[in-house]
Amino acid sequence: MTKTSRYCFILLLILLGFHLYASDVNRKGQPNILIVIADDCTHSDLSLYGGQNVKTPHIDQLASQGMTFNNAFVTMSMCVPCRAELYTGLQPVNSGVCWNHAIARTGTQSIVQYLGELNYRVGIAGKVHADPREVYPFEMVEGVERNCVSETANYDPAGLKEFMARDKEQPFCLITALVVPHIPWTVGDPSHFNPEELKLPSYLADNKETRREFAKYLAEIEVLDQQVGETIALLDELKISDNTIVIFTSEQGAQLPFCKWTNWNNGVHTGFIVRWPGKVNSGSRTDALVQYNDVLPTLLDALGNTSDTDFDGSSFLPVLLGEKETHREYAYFMHNNVPEGPAYPIRSVTDGNYHYIRNLSPKSLYIERHLMARMPLNQYWPSWVFDASDDPEILDLVTRYQNRPAEELYNLTADPNEMQNLIGRDDLGEIKQNLSQKLDEWMKAQGDPGAEIDSREELKNARQGKHFDPLILQN
């Protein structure tokens, strides 16, 4: 055998060994991963979190088989930033996705690269909302509507099934990103709901238009639940349920006032369930505080990857395994209003009990153009403005939404809809001061300069990949 032939033979043995190792890892139980994401679904509208208007039997069944998180949050209640956070383990300033429709910093790694290094196939079906391609090189899986503002929510499980079943020797991670209940609320059957009998949450104006539109939104949650059920049923059909980690999350709040595009609880709070047979106790609930940037580190930890990666988040695997009852001490939030309207930067922090909000431009009028001006998609807001002339309760809601104080403080246990601002309470001064200090520390650690970043120029640069330098802005 020549020297060259010997090298080729050795190389072949190495490659064969790697293939056998990878296959053996999966045969020994390297779990598949299925992540199912709703689109703009307020967590408190799900029966799992106390919602009284719509039944979600498939989501409830999943919860009965896994662990439900009572205190899971996104850092920004907008589609692109929160998905970037979920996929990268980074908070907005570090990923560069500090605005809706911004792109991640060049060189950022995502779940695709991290799991790819562990021999996983990583695909996405449905809504993507993650750029650039080099950061998120997902395999595009067919079968789920990708356009979140389509008047349909097409769903065909055949493409999902093909991806799951393609290679039994190699584990997969499939993100199924559904487009319900994102507006326009045009799918499902609103006749299932009597608008006059709906129990509207306290942050919504109680008038005919709101009740009619809320029924349409609930009809989309019914479709969401059905699609969640069909997706998870594929695991049983393929007989891989026992070796698949399933995550369901409701994303940020709905496109309603006091929800999406805000730092209020119903904007940043997300529904979150994890099922992992044999590892996570069925029907369990936890009050542990977690955020989207904790999810990727947790998955890597669950797969035995102990590499020192510089995530903003950290693994809550001990919570899943029942070894700990707590995770984070604080969760942090930010909002930059451009391009959804004029600049209106917000930052906030919670310890799970109290939520401190700082509006960085309190003298400005808050305007969100999609919610307030895009008729016929949002017919309820004009009705609020019209009815405010004669209804003081509706006038108060319109005023609260657009004219905000410099600081807000809420007791999330007693007032989850955050209707009573406690910022002036003397007996809560110490709590307010502590949360304010923690927020300052977080912004400094992130390199977040505050109001200066919420500008069209910064967003324009970010869309072109010319991300700001936090150190320059801090100085």
Side-chain angles (χ1 to χ4, degrees), residues 40 74 76-81 99-101 182-183 252-264 266-268 334-341 344 346 359 366-372 374 378 380 401 404:
D40 289 6
V74 301
M76 293 188 78
S77 60
M78 293 186 285
C79 296
V80 176
W99 309 265
N100 216 8
H101 309 296
H182 194 288
I183 63 152
Q252 71 262 331
Q255 189 163 301
L256 289 162
F258 302 98
C259 298
K260 184 178 181 179
W261 298 305
T262 78
N263 275 33
W264 283 310
N266 281 305
V268 295
M334 71 181 297
H335 176 77
N336 292 327
N337 206 46
V338 174
E340 313 301 347
Y344 200 94
I346 312 168
N359 297 300
Y366 178 80
I367 298 173
E368 203 299 308
R369 60 184 179 177
H370 302 286
L371 186 147
M372 295 177 175
R374 272 199 174 181
N378 292 327
Y380 45 85
Y401 192 65
R404 307 181 189 179

Side-chain angles (χ1 to χ4, degrees), residues 141-160:
V141 179
E142 298 304 316
V144 179
E145 178 69 61
R146 295 198 189 277
N147 182 4
C148 63
V149 294
S150 171
E151 293 187 356
T152 63
N154 297 322
Y155 179 89
D156 181 353
L160 312 183

Side-chain angles (χ1 to χ4, degrees), residues 9 29 35 40 45 49 51 132 142 160 175 227 236 259 270 285 305 349 354 383 427 454 472:
F9 180 70
I35 302 175
D40 289 6
D45 291 325
Y49 293 98
E142 298 304 316
L160 312 183
I175 296 169
Q227 293 184 354
D236 293 331
C259 298
T270 187
R285 294 188 83 114
N305 185 346
V349 58
Y354 286 91
S383 76
D427 58 324
D454 194 5
I472 293 176

